Amino acid sequence: MHKTELIAALDTDTLKSAENLLKKLEGRVKFFKIGSVLFTAEGPAAVDLVHKHGGKVFLDLKFHDIPNTVKGAVRNAAAMGVYSVSLHLSGGAEMVKACAELEKRPKLWGITVLTSFDEYGLFRAGYRCGIAKTVRNLAALGLAAGADGVVCSPLEAAALKKEHGPGLKLITPGIRPQSRGDDQKRAVTPAAAREAGSDFIVVGRPIIAAEDPAEAAAAILEDLK
Ligand code: C5P
C-alpha cells in the first residue's frame, strides 16, 4: 500500500509560536516545513528548533537564481542538516545540475507550478501551454538535471507517476480537508492526494489556523490511511 507522509508547514512569525506548534503536534507529526515566513524572521535557529524536537526539516525557500548562487545556498542548507530544500525548476537545468553535483547535499525538491496558480494566472505569467503541460515539462527538465522529487498539485500527480514511474517522489501542497476559499486554487483533500500518488502532503493553514492543531493533524493522518 502506498504511504503518504504529512509535512506540517511551520508558517509562523516567531520561534515561540513555532515551538508551541511543535509541542502540540508532538507524537503525531515528525516532518516540518520551514519556509520564507519563519526563516526571514528567525533564520537557522528555526531549523535548530525542529531538530531539537527530533523533527526532520524541509527548507522551503524556493530558490531561483543563477546556478552558482543557488548552489551556494544549497551548500549552506546542507550544513544546517536539513533533509530537503526546494528550488523553482523554472530556474533551469543548469541551476538544478549545479546543486545536484554537490557532494553532501539535501534532497532537491523541484517546484513546477505553484498550487496558487489557475490556468488564467499561469497564462498571464507568460506560460502559454497550460498547467498540465508546464508541470510535465518542468518535471522532466528537473529530473533529468538531478532533482530528487517534484513539487506539484495532487491534480498533476497521477500523470507524472505514469510518465516517470512509481519511484518518482511527489510532494504536494494545496491540501484542504475542507474548502477555505483562499489563495490555493488547485487544492484537494488529503485522501484524494494519497489516491493520486502523493508521497508527501504539505499542510499549513488547515493545521496552523485550526482551533486545535493536534486534532486537525490527527484528522488529516486518519484521512491518509
Ligand atoms: O497554508 P497552506 O496549506 O496553503 O500552506 C502550504 C505551504 O506550502 C505554504 O507554506 C506554501 O508556501 C507552500 N507551498 C505551496 N505551493 C508550492 C510549494 C510550497 O503552497 N508549490
Side-chain angles (χ1 to χ4, degrees), residues 20-21 23-26 28-29 177-178 180 204-220:
N20 277 339
L21 206 52
K23 283 183 182 156
K24 285 180 186 158
L25 299 177
E26 203 127 39
R28 288 206 166 94
V29 185
Q178 286 99 28
R180 300 172 60 91
R205 285 162 288 180
I207 293 177
I208 302 169
E211 213 166 284
D212 183 344
E215 197 183 284
I220 290 169

Side-chain angles (χ1 to χ4, degrees), residues 9 11 33 60 62 111 113-116 151-152 173-176 182-184 202-206 208:
D11 288 336
K33 184 181 90 82
D60 181 31
K62 298 186 168 61
I111 296 165
V113 174
L114 293 171
T115 40
S116 51
V151 185
C152 61
I175 305 297
R176 292 289 176 264
D182 57 21
D183 56 350
Q184 295 286 20
V202 178
V203 185
R205 285 162 288 180
I208 302 169

Side-chain angles (χ1 to χ4, degrees), residues 11-210:
D11 288 336
T12 66
D13 291 312
T14 63
L15 275 190
K16 202 166 160 12
S17 47
E19 185 154 39
N20 277 339
L21 206 52
L22 283 169
K23 283 183 182 156
K24 285 180 186 158
L25 299 177
E26 203 127 39
R28 288 206 166 94
V29 185
K30 295 186 193 71
F31 204 168
F32 296 91
K33 184 181 90 82
I34 295 174
S36 52
V37 177
L38 184 58
F39 202 80
T40 49
E42 300 283 5
V47 174
D48 292 342
L49 177 74
V50 174
H51 287 157
K52 196 182 88 188
H53 281 263
K56 227 160 78 169
V57 175
F58 163 30
L59 188 65
D60 181 31
L61 297 179
K62 298 186 168 61
F63 301 129
H64 186 169
D65 209 319
I66 60 170
N68 190 54
T69 299
V70 176
K71 181 179 179 176
V74 172
R75 193 189 298 114
N76 288 340
M80 286 189 263
V82 302
Y83 177 83
S84 56
V85 297
S86 59
L87 12 144
H88 275 287
L89 295 176
S90 51
E94 279 180 35
M95 185 197 80
V96 179
K97 195 162 170 277
C99 301
E101 282 168 359
L102 283 168
E103 212 169 282
K104 198 182 147 281
R105 62 166 178 81
K107 302 254 182 248
L108 304 175
W109 286 353
I111 296 165
T112 53
V113 174
L114 293 171
T115 40
S116 51
F117 271 112
D118 58 12
E119 293 290 356
Y120 180 58
L122 191 69
F123 184 84
R124 285 188 72 195
Y127 291 83
R128 298 289 152 102
C129 59
I131 291 175
K133 190 135 199 294
T134 305
V135 168
R136 235 181 107 195
N137 290 345
L138 286 170
L141 172 151
L143 293 167
D148 305 291
V150 170
V151 185
C152 61
S153 142
L155 300 174
E156 296 98 41
L160 288 181
K161 286 261 175 168
K162 198 165 161 219
E163 185 170 349
H164 297 280
L168 169 67
K169 288 284 173 221
L170 287 181
I171 303 88
T172 62
I175 305 297
R176 292 289 176 264
Q178 286 99 28
S179 170
R180 300 172 60 91
D182 57 21
D183 56 350
Q184 295 286 20
K185 305 264 171 46
R186 306 200 319 286
V188 306
T189 63
R194 177 182 54 78
E195 274 155 32
S198 299
D199 296 280
F200 300 93
I201 59 166
V202 178
V203 185
R205 285 162 288 180
I207 293 177
I208 302 169

Side-chain angles (χ1 to χ4, degrees), residues 4-6 27-29 190 216-225:
T4 306
E5 201 177 334
L6 170 63
R28 288 206 166 94
V29 185
I220 290 169
L221 290 169
E222 190 57 37
D223 209 22
L224 286 179
K225 275 187 193 159

